[in-house]
């Protein structure tokens, strides 16, 4: 992929992530657990993970989070998103490298969803200065398995089309 094509693809993925973020913010929270969301922007992270190298995916995540914060977030939103996003990405990247062809995009997505919640709970514990927030983690992890499956399934079917358009 030429440099201009790569830059354009990165910009499109950041924009798509922002659109999904804004769309998800407008949805009523369908979960019983406060703070749980579908994680639609992770579709873009997964697609990027299968299209680009580490530094490009990292750039996409950080740009999307910064822009989402600028377009209507708060400092606490930023802290939760950056911690969850980076920890999730690192876990998915490691799983993809270690698992090679043995772990599907759906499995990698589920791992990412779990680690996203772990990152957010760590930040929450630091912000509220109470380690007992960790007791909320099992509930979030159950939701993460379901949303991670949905996000991974969506990315699995979108990836071939996006690769064909951008490559």
């Amino acid at each position: 992929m030429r440099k201009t094509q790569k830059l354009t693809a990165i910009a499109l993925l950041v924009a798509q992530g922002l659109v999904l973020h804004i769309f998800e913010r407008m949805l009523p929270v369908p979960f019983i657990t406060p703070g749980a969301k579908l994680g639609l922007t992770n579709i873009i992270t997964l697609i990027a993970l299968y299209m680009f190298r580490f530094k490009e995916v990292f750039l996409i995540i950080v740009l999307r989070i910064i822009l989402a914060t600028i377009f209507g977030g708060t400092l606490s939103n930023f802290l939760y998103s950056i911690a969850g996003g980076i920890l999730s990405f690192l876990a998915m990247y490691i799983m993809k490298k270690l698992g090679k062809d043995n772990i599907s995009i759906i499995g990698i997505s589920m791992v990412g969803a779990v680690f996203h919640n772990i990152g957010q709970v760590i930040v929450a514990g630091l912000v509220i200065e109470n380690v007992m927030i960790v007791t909320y983690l099992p509930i979030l992890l159950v939701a993460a398995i379901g949303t991670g499956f949905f996000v991974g399934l969506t990315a699995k079917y979108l990836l071939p089309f996006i690769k064909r358009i951008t490559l």
Side-chain angles (χ1 to χ4, degrees):
M1 184 182 306
R2 292 184 315 216
K3 192 171 184 175
T4 306
Q5 284 178 308
K6 184 186 286 188
L7 186 59
T8 303
I10 288 170
L12 285 171
L13 288 173
V14 170
Q16 290 168 345
L18 283 171
V19 168
L20 288 171
H21 170 77
I22 292 166
F23 174 73
E24 188 170 13
R25 280 187 25 200
M26 293 188 310
L27 292 175
V29 179
F31 297 106
I32 296 171
T33 57
K37 295 191 298 186
L38 293 173
L40 297 177
T41 57
N42 292 326
I43 295 168
I44 302 304
T45 302
L46 273 171
I47 288 169
L49 184 64
Y50 280 83
M51 289 179 61
F52 296 108
R53 294 182 318 218
F54 182 92
K55 68 179 184 175
E56 287 92 359
V57 182
F58 188 81
L59 177 66
I60 289 167
I61 293 166
V62 170
L63 284 174
R64 178 186 50 78
I65 292 170
I66 289 170
L67 290 171
T69 303
I70 290 170
F71 291 148
T74 63
L75 179 60
S76 64
N77 291 134
F78 174 78
L79 293 174
Y80 291 120
S81 295
I82 202 76
I86 290 174
L87 189 59
S88 170
F89 165 59
L90 292 174
M92 290 189 294
Y93 182 81
I94 290 168
M95 290 302 295
K96 184 176 179 278
K97 288 294 179 192
L98 292 178
K100 301 265 187 241
D101 297 325
N102 297 325
I103 300 174
S104 72
I105 193 170
I106 296 170
I108 289 173
S109 175
M110 292 167 72
V111 166
V114 164
F115 277 87
H116 195 279
N117 283 330
I118 291 170
Q120 290 184 324
V121 167
I122 290 169
V123 169
L126 294 172
V127 168
I128 65 171
E129 298 178 356
N130 187 345
V131 75
M132 291 307 294
I133 191 74
V134 173
T135 60
Y136 187 52
L137 192 57
I139 297 165
L140 288 174
L141 295 182
V142 170
I145 299 296
T147 59
F149 178 82
F150 170 75
V151 165
L153 189 63
T154 305
K156 176 183 177 180
Y157 288 106
L158 279 177
L159 185 60
F161 295 107
I162 291 178
K163 275 186 173 180
R164 191 170 50 210
I165 291 169
T166 58
L167 298 179

